[in-house]
Amino acid sequence: MTSAYVLNGPNLNLLGTREPEIYGEKTLADVERSCLDVANELGWALQFRQTNREGELVDWIQEAGRAQSAGEAVGVVLNAAAYTHTSVALQDAIVGSGARVIELHISNVHRRESFRHHSYVSPVAAGIIIGFGVAGYPLALRALAALDAS
Ligand code: CA2
């Protein structure tokens, strides 16, 4: 069965516990359930993960790229959180692995502090979903399906 990866970076385990005015009230477990509903509808297995470690995100992107090359994965929805704005290693992992990546942010980073306006992921992403709250996650899975069909 084809897998879709949804990879979440640092502090997203805190979703729903603090800063609801920015990130809403849903928890990461709620987000996983909404992704599972769409994955089931699309006939995909779901690899939904969160880590606070940059290297672990790199490992998972490489894993997704290998699975995609083997025809076993459709791509990655990546909310790299703060590493979006700092990590050359993530950009290198995306390019080096060939993983198809949809960059996702819950908040509209362009309405926030200027340090959030730059992304190392955007130039190597297939597409970007920003500012739709956690509703962006199922949208991003549907975007992966659309890209896969095109
Ligand atoms: O809007 C997004 O999805 C972000 O990727 C979230 C990151 C932030 O650094 C990016 O600029 C934009 C922060 C994730 C931390 O999430 C928390 C959620 C609830 C409480 C505290 C942190």
Side-chain angles (χ1 to χ4, degrees):
M1 191 184 239
T2 303
S3 286
Y5 286 74
V6 179
L7 304 180
N8 294 283
N11 299 306
L12 284 163
N13 54 311
L14 300 177
L15 210 58
T17 67
R18 298 184 54 198
E19 301 193 85
E21 67 288 357
I22 300 175
Y23 300 114
E25 293 186 348
K26 297 257 172 72
T27 66
L28 201 60
D30 295 328
V31 176
E32 181 171 8
R33 272 189 289 276
S34 72
C35 288
L36 200 52
D37 286 345
V38 174
N40 286 340
E41 181 191 319
L42 296 169
W44 295 340
L46 183 68
Q47 301 292 330
F48 189 98
R49 303 178 189 170
Q50 188 274 331
T51 181
N52 292 328
R53 289 166 191 78
E54 184 177 11
E56 194 156 32
L57 276 179
V58 168
D59 288 343
W60 290 344
I61 289 165
Q62 289 185 9
E63 176 188 319
R66 283 192 299 274
Q68 190 185 313
S69 299
E72 294 163 1
V74 71
V76 179
V77 174
L78 177 62
N79 186 348
Y83 290 140
T84 305
H85 316 300
T86 63
S87 180
V88 176
L90 283 183
Q91 183 178 108
D92 287 349
I94 294 165
V95 173
S97 67
R100 174 194 284 141
V101 169
I102 305 288
E103 177 180 0
L104 178 134
H105 299 288
I106 298 166
S107 62
N108 181 351
V109 286
H110 297 291
R111 293 183 66 174
R112 301 181 63 191
E113 304 95 321
S114 59
F115 67 83
R116 297 185 201 277
H117 298 176
H118 177 263
S119 166
Y120 282 97
V121 175
S122 297
V124 295
I128 304 169
I129 293 182
I130 289 177
F132 293 98
V134 295
Y137 281 83
L139 288 175
L141 285 172
R142 293 190 189 284
L144 275 182
L147 287 176
D148 197 47
S150 68

PDB file of all heavy atoms in Angstrom, residues 10-12 14-19 23 79-82 84-85 104-107 109 112 116, ligand 1:
ATOM      1  N   PRO A  10       9.945  20.631  15.534  1.00  0.00           N
ATOM      2  CA  PRO A  10      10.051  20.916  16.961  1.00  0.00           C
ATOM      3  C   PRO A  10       8.878  21.712  17.537  1.00  0.00           C
ATOM      4  O   PRO A  10       8.402  22.662  16.930  1.00  0.00           O
ATOM      5  CB  PRO A  10      11.348  21.716  17.080  1.00  0.00           C
ATOM      6  CG  PRO A  10      11.618  22.237  15.712  1.00  0.00           C
ATOM      7  CD  PRO A  10      11.064  21.216  14.770  1.00  0.00           C
ATOM      8  N   ASN A  11       8.472  21.272  18.703  1.00  0.00           N
ATOM      9  CA  ASN A  11       7.454  21.902  19.551  1.00  0.00           C
ATOM     10  C   ASN A  11       6.024  21.690  19.068  1.00  0.00           C
ATOM     11  O   ASN A  11       5.092  22.104  19.753  1.00  0.00           O
ATOM     12  CB  ASN A  11       7.752  23.409  19.734  1.00  0.00           C
ATOM     13  CG  ASN A  11       9.088  23.620  20.412  1.00  0.00           C
ATOM     14  OD1 ASN A  11       9.319  23.061  21.484  1.00  0.00           O
ATOM     15  ND2 ASN A  11       9.985  24.381  19.802  1.00  0.00           N
ATOM     16  N   LEU A  12       5.852  21.049  17.935  1.00  0.00           N
ATOM     17  CA  LEU A  12       4.475  20.821  17.468  1.00  0.00           C
ATOM     18  C   LEU A  12       3.743  19.794  18.341  1.00  0.00           C
ATOM     19  O   LEU A  12       2.517  19.697  18.284  1.00  0.00           O
ATOM     20  CB  LEU A  12       4.461  20.432  15.985  1.00  0.00           C
ATOM     21  CG  LEU A  12       4.691  21.658  15.074  1.00  0.00           C
ATOM     22  CD1 LEU A  12       5.085  21.236  13.663  1.00  0.00           C
ATOM     23  CD2 LEU A  12       3.444  22.548  15.025  1.00  0.00           C
ATOM     24  N   LEU A  14       3.314  20.355  21.233  1.00  0.00           N
ATOM     25  CA  LEU A  14       2.609  21.234  22.186  1.00  0.00           C
ATOM     26  C   LEU A  14       1.300  21.783  21.627  1.00  0.00           C
ATOM     27  O   LEU A  14       0.590  22.518  22.319  1.00  0.00           O
ATOM     28  CB  LEU A  14       3.513  22.416  22.574  1.00  0.00           C
ATOM     29  CG  LEU A  14       4.829  22.068  23.247  1.00  0.00           C
ATOM     30  CD1 LEU A  14       5.652  23.331  23.495  1.00  0.00           C
ATOM     31  CD2 LEU A  14       4.572  21.337  24.564  1.00  0.00           C
ATOM     32  N   LEU A  15       1.003  21.430  20.383  1.00  0.00           N
ATOM     33  CA  LEU A  15      -0.202  21.952  19.723  1.00  0.00           C
ATOM     34  C   LEU A  15      -1.437  21.702  20.606  1.00  0.00           C
ATOM     35  O   LEU A  15      -1.612  20.617  21.143  1.00  0.00           O
ATOM     36  CB  LEU A  15      -0.378  21.229  18.379  1.00  0.00           C
ATOM     37  CG  LEU A  15      -1.049  21.966  17.238  1.00  0.00           C
ATOM     38  CD1 LEU A  15      -0.309  23.248  16.913  1.00  0.00           C
ATOM     39  CD2 LEU A  15      -1.103  21.051  16.015  1.00  0.00           C
ATOM     40  N   GLY A  16      -2.254  22.746  20.733  1.00  0.00           N
ATOM     41  CA  GLY A  16      -3.486  22.620  21.518  1.00  0.00           C
ATOM     42  C   GLY A  16      -3.314  22.873  22.991  1.00  0.00           C
ATOM     43  O   GLY A  16      -4.300  22.901  23.738  1.00  0.00           O
ATOM     44  N   THR A  17      -2.074  23.054  23.433  1.00  0.00           N
ATOM     45  CA  THR A  17      -1.835  23.270  24.872  1.00  0.00           C
ATOM     46  C   THR A  17      -1.480  24.714  25.186  1.00  0.00           C
ATOM     47  O   THR A  17      -1.679  25.164  26.318  1.00  0.00           O
ATOM     48  CB  THR A  17      -0.690  22.373  25.398  1.00  0.00           C
ATOM     49  OG1 THR A  17       0.549  22.794  24.799  1.00  0.00           O
ATOM     50  CG2 THR A  17      -0.936  20.907  25.058  1.00  0.00           C
ATOM     51  N   ARG A  18      -0.913  25.446  24.196  1.00  0.00           N
ATOM     52  CA  ARG A  18      -0.515  26.844  24.400  1.00  0.00           C
ATOM     53  C   ARG A  18      -0.701  27.611  23.096  1.00  0.00           C
ATOM     54  O   ARG A  18      -0.842  27.019  22.036  1.00  0.00           O
ATOM     55  CB  ARG A  18       0.962  26.918  24.832  1.00  0.00           C
ATOM     56  CG  ARG A  18       1.238  26.225  26.151  1.00  0.00           C
ATOM     57  CD  ARG A  18       2.669  26.423  26.573  1.00  0.00           C
ATOM     58  NE  ARG A  18       3.008  27.843  26.610  1.00  0.00           N
ATOM     59  CZ  ARG A  18       4.249  28.312  26.600  1.00  0.00           C
ATOM     60  NH1 ARG A  18       5.270  27.488  26.544  1.00  0.00           N
ATOM     61  NH2 ARG A  18       4.479  29.598  26.646  1.00  0.00           N
ATOM     62  N   GLU A  19      -0.692  28.949  23.186  1.00  0.00           N
ATOM     63  CA  GLU A  19      -0.797  29.841  22.022  1.00  0.00           C
ATOM     64  C   GLU A  19      -1.964  29.483  21.093  1.00  0.00           C
ATOM     65  O   GLU A  19      -1.793  29.424  19.859  1.00  0.00           O
ATOM     66  CB  GLU A  19       0.518  29.858  21.238  1.00  0.00           C
ATOM     67  CG  GLU A  19       1.710  30.312  22.075  1.00  0.00           C
ATOM     68  CD  GLU A  19       2.925  30.624  21.228  1.00  0.00           C
ATOM     69  OE1 GLU A  19       3.028  31.762  20.733  1.00  0.00           O
ATOM     70  OE2 GLU A  19       3.757  29.713  21.067  1.00  0.00           O
ATOM     71  N   TYR A  23      -2.171  29.032  16.938  1.00  0.00           N
ATOM     72  CA  TYR A  23      -2.166  27.669  16.381  1.00  0.00           C
ATOM     73  C   TYR A  23      -3.493  26.924  16.547  1.00  0.00           C
ATOM     74  O   TYR A  23      -3.616  25.797  16.048  1.00  0.00           O
ATOM     75  CB  TYR A  23      -1.029  26.859  17.018  1.00  0.00           C
ATOM     76  CG  TYR A  23       0.339  27.455  16.759  1.00  0.00           C
ATOM     77  CD1 TYR A  23       1.116  27.973  17.799  1.00  0.00           C
ATOM     78  CD2 TYR A  23       0.846  27.533  15.465  1.00  0.00           C
ATOM     79  CE1 TYR A  23       2.364  28.542  17.557  1.00  0.00           C
ATOM     80  CE2 TYR A  23       2.084  28.102  15.214  1.00  0.00           C
ATOM     81  CZ  TYR A  23       2.837  28.603  16.267  1.00  0.00           C
ATOM     82  OH  TYR A  23       4.065  29.167  16.012  1.00  0.00           O
ATOM     83  N   ASN A  79       5.786  19.999   7.995  1.00  0.00           N
ATOM     84  CA  ASN A  79       5.794  21.207   8.827  1.00  0.00           C
ATOM     85  C   ASN A  79       7.063  21.132   9.656  1.00  0.00           C
ATOM     86  O   ASN A  79       7.088  20.511  10.726  1.00  0.00           O
ATOM     87  CB  ASN A  79       4.556  21.295   9.714  1.00  0.00           C
ATOM     88  CG  ASN A  79       4.517  22.634  10.464  1.00  0.00           C
ATOM     89  OD1 ASN A  79       5.512  23.372  10.481  1.00  0.00           O
ATOM     90  ND2 ASN A  79       3.388  22.950  11.072  1.00  0.00           N
ATOM     91  N   ALA A  80       8.108  21.749   9.138  1.00  0.00           N
ATOM     92  CA  ALA A  80       9.411  21.675   9.806  1.00  0.00           C
ATOM     93  C   ALA A  80       9.512  22.664  10.960  1.00  0.00           C
ATOM     94  O   ALA A  80      10.567  22.756  11.612  1.00  0.00           O
ATOM     95  CB  ALA A  80      10.530  21.914   8.801  1.00  0.00           C
ATOM     96  N   ALA A  81       8.421  23.398  11.222  1.00  0.00           N
ATOM     97  CA  ALA A  81       8.374  24.364  12.336  1.00  0.00           C
ATOM     98  C   ALA A  81       9.586  25.300  12.256  1.00  0.00           C
ATOM     99  O   ALA A  81       9.931  25.771  11.168  1.00  0.00           O
ATOM    100  CB  ALA A  81       8.241  23.620  13.661  1.00  0.00           C
ATOM    101  N   ALA A  82      10.252  25.568  13.365  1.00  0.00           N
ATOM    102  CA  ALA A  82      11.328  26.571  13.356  1.00  0.00           C
ATOM    103  C   ALA A  82      12.503  26.165  12.459  1.00  0.00           C
ATOM    104  O   ALA A  82      13.217  27.045  11.943  1.00  0.00           O
ATOM    105  CB  ALA A  82      11.810  26.828  14.774  1.00  0.00           C
ATOM    106  N   THR A  84      12.341  25.222   9.563  1.00  0.00           N
ATOM    107  CA  THR A  84      12.054  25.815   8.254  1.00  0.00           C
ATOM    108  C   THR A  84      12.960  27.013   7.984  1.00  0.00           C
ATOM    109  O   THR A  84      13.444  27.207   6.859  1.00  0.00           O
ATOM    110  CB  THR A  84      10.592  26.343   8.243  1.00  0.00           C
ATOM    111  OG1 THR A  84       9.713  25.286   8.595  1.00  0.00           O
ATOM    112  CG2 THR A  84      10.226  26.948   6.899  1.00  0.00           C
ATOM    113  N   HIS A  85      13.159  27.808   9.031  1.00  0.00           N
ATOM    114  CA  HIS A  85      13.813  29.105   8.875  1.00  0.00           C
ATOM    115  C   HIS A  85      15.322  29.036   9.086  1.00  0.00           C
ATOM    116  O   HIS A  85      16.003  30.043   8.939  1.00  0.00           O
ATOM    117  CB  HIS A  85      13.211  30.108   9.863  1.00  0.00           C
ATOM    118  CG  HIS A  85      11.714  30.053   9.936  1.00  0.00           C
ATOM    119  ND1 HIS A  85      10.917  30.285   8.839  1.00  0.00           N
ATOM    120  CD2 HIS A  85      10.856  29.733  10.955  1.00  0.00           C
ATOM    121  CE1 HIS A  85       9.638  30.149   9.185  1.00  0.00           C
ATOM    122  NE2 HIS A  85       9.577  29.801  10.459  1.00  0.00           N
ATOM    123  N   LEU A 104       4.199  22.968   4.751  1.00  0.00           N
ATOM    124  CA  LEU A 104       2.964  23.383   5.423  1.00  0.00           C
ATOM    125  C   LEU A 104       3.267  24.204   6.664  1.00  0.00           C
ATOM    126  O   LEU A 104       4.191  23.866   7.417  1.00  0.00           O
ATOM    127  CB  LEU A 104       2.168  22.135   5.832  1.00  0.00           C
ATOM    128  CG  LEU A 104       0.866  22.454   6.587  1.00  0.00           C
ATOM    129  CD1 LEU A 104      -0.271  21.643   6.046  1.00  0.00           C
ATOM    130  CD2 LEU A 104       0.994  22.276   8.075  1.00  0.00           C
ATOM    131  N   HIS A 105       2.519  25.280   6.848  1.00  0.00           N
ATOM    132  CA  HIS A 105       2.533  26.017   8.115  1.00  0.00           C
ATOM    133  C   HIS A 105       1.110  26.292   8.552  1.00  0.00           C
ATOM    134  O   HIS A 105       0.261  26.682   7.733  1.00  0.00           O
ATOM    135  CB  HIS A 105       3.319  27.326   7.991  1.00  0.00           C
ATOM    136  CG  HIS A 105       4.743  27.063   7.629  1.00  0.00           C
ATOM    137  ND1 HIS A 105       5.642  26.527   8.525  1.00  0.00           N
ATOM    138  CD2 HIS A 105       5.393  27.184   6.452  1.00  0.00           C
ATOM    139  CE1 HIS A 105       6.801  26.354   7.908  1.00  0.00           C
ATOM    140  NE2 HIS A 105       6.680  26.740   6.655  1.00  0.00           N
ATOM    141  N   ILE A 106       0.874  26.095   9.821  1.00  0.00           N
ATOM    142  CA  ILE A 106      -0.459  26.315  10.391  1.00  0.00           C
ATOM    143  C   ILE A 106      -0.796  27.809  10.351  1.00  0.00           C
ATOM    144  O   ILE A 106      -1.879  28.207   9.939  1.00  0.00           O
ATOM    145  CB  ILE A 106      -0.492  25.791  11.847  1.00  0.00           C
ATOM    146  CG1 ILE A 106      -0.214  24.285  11.864  1.00  0.00           C
ATOM    147  CG2 ILE A 106      -1.810  26.143  12.522  1.00  0.00           C
ATOM    148  CD1 ILE A 106       0.113  23.724  13.254  1.00  0.00           C
ATOM    149  N   SER A 107       0.145  28.613  10.809  1.00  0.00           N
ATOM    150  CA  SER A 107      -0.056  30.070  10.840  1.00  0.00           C
ATOM    151  C   SER A 107       0.435  30.678   9.524  1.00  0.00           C
ATOM    152  O   SER A 107       1.227  30.062   8.807  1.00  0.00           O
ATOM    153  CB  SER A 107       0.718  30.669  12.014  1.00  0.00           C
ATOM    154  OG  SER A 107       2.105  30.442  11.858  1.00  0.00           O
ATOM    155  N   VAL A 109       2.874  32.620   8.214  1.00  0.00           N
ATOM    156  CA  VAL A 109       4.194  33.092   8.672  1.00  0.00           C
ATOM    157  C   VAL A 109       4.530  34.474   8.107  1.00  0.00           C
ATOM    158  O   VAL A 109       5.311  35.215   8.709  1.00  0.00           O
ATOM    159  CB  VAL A 109       5.302  32.074   8.304  1.00  0.00           C
ATOM    160  CG1 VAL A 109       5.223  30.853   9.202  1.00  0.00           C
ATOM    161  CG2 VAL A 109       5.242  31.668   6.840  1.00  0.00           C
ATOM    162  N   ARG A 112       3.749  37.381  10.352  1.00  0.00           N
ATOM    163  CA  ARG A 112       4.419  37.306  11.659  1.00  0.00           C
ATOM    164  C   ARG A 112       5.821  37.925  11.578  1.00  0.00           C
ATOM    165  O   ARG A 112       6.112  38.687  10.666  1.00  0.00           O
ATOM    166  CB  ARG A 112       4.430  35.839  12.131  1.00  0.00           C
ATOM    167  CG  ARG A 112       3.017  35.257  12.257  1.00  0.00           C
ATOM    168  CD  ARG A 112       3.019  33.836  12.740  1.00  0.00           C
ATOM    169  NE  ARG A 112       3.582  33.739  14.092  1.00  0.00           N
ATOM    170  CZ  ARG A 112       3.907  32.580  14.676  1.00  0.00           C
ATOM    171  NH1 ARG A 112       3.716  31.431  14.028  1.00  0.00           N
ATOM    172  NH2 ARG A 112       4.416  32.579  15.898  1.00  0.00           N
ATOM    173  N   ARG A 116      10.490  34.746  10.285  1.00  0.00           N
ATOM    174  CA  ARG A 116       9.694  33.611   9.804  1.00  0.00           C
ATOM    175  C   ARG A 116       9.391  33.723   8.304  1.00  0.00           C
ATOM    176  O   ARG A 116       8.746  32.853   7.728  1.00  0.00           O
ATOM    177  CB  ARG A 116       8.375  33.503  10.580  1.00  0.00           C
ATOM    178  CG  ARG A 116       8.555  33.236  12.049  1.00  0.00           C
ATOM    179  CD  ARG A 116       7.225  33.010  12.743  1.00  0.00           C
ATOM    180  NE  ARG A 116       7.339  33.232  14.176  1.00  0.00           N
ATOM    181  CZ  ARG A 116       7.773  32.333  15.059  1.00  0.00           C
ATOM    182  NH1 ARG A 116       8.085  31.127  14.669  1.00  0.00           N
ATOM    183  NH2 ARG A 116       7.870  32.634  16.351  1.00  0.00           N
TER     184      ARG A 116
HETATM  185  O1  CA2 B   1       2.787  27.967  11.649  1.00  0.00           O
HETATM  186  C1  CA2 B   1       3.457  26.917  11.701  1.00  0.00           C
HETATM  187  O2  CA2 B   1       3.018  25.814  11.454  1.00  0.00           O
HETATM  188  C2  CA2 B   1       4.929  27.003  12.132  1.00  0.00           C
HETATM  189  O3  CA2 B   1       5.662  26.054  11.363  1.00  0.00           O
HETATM  190  C3  CA2 B   1       4.959  26.648  13.611  1.00  0.00           C
HETATM  191  C4  CA2 B   1       6.336  26.797  14.242  1.00  0.00           C
HETATM  192  C5  CA2 B   1       6.959  28.151  13.907  1.00  0.00           C
HETATM  193  O4  CA2 B   1       8.295  28.197  14.397  1.00  0.00           O
HETATM  194  C6  CA2 B   1       6.951  28.446  12.413  1.00  0.00           C
HETATM  195  O5  CA2 B   1       7.469  29.734  12.202  1.00  0.00           O
HETATM  196  C7  CA2 B   1       5.535  28.379  11.874  1.00  0.00           C
HETATM  197  C8  CA2 B   1       6.260  26.656  15.759  1.00  0.00           C
HETATM  198  C9  CA2 B   1       5.689  25.351  16.225  1.00  0.00           C
HETATM  199  C10 CA2 B   1       5.475  25.421  17.690  1.00  0.00           C
HETATM  200  O6  CA2 B   1       4.152  25.015  17.947  1.00  0.00           O
HETATM  201  C11 CA2 B   1       3.577  25.307  19.146  1.00  0.00           C
HETATM  202  C12 CA2 B   1       2.256  25.009  19.273  1.00  0.00           C
HETATM  203  C13 CA2 B   1       1.610  25.290  20.445  1.00  0.00           C
HETATM  204  C14 CA2 B   1       2.296  25.874  21.503  1.00  0.00           C
HETATM  205  C15 CA2 B   1       3.621  26.174  21.361  1.00  0.00           C
HETATM  206  C16 CA2 B   1       4.278  25.872  20.183  1.00  0.00           C
END
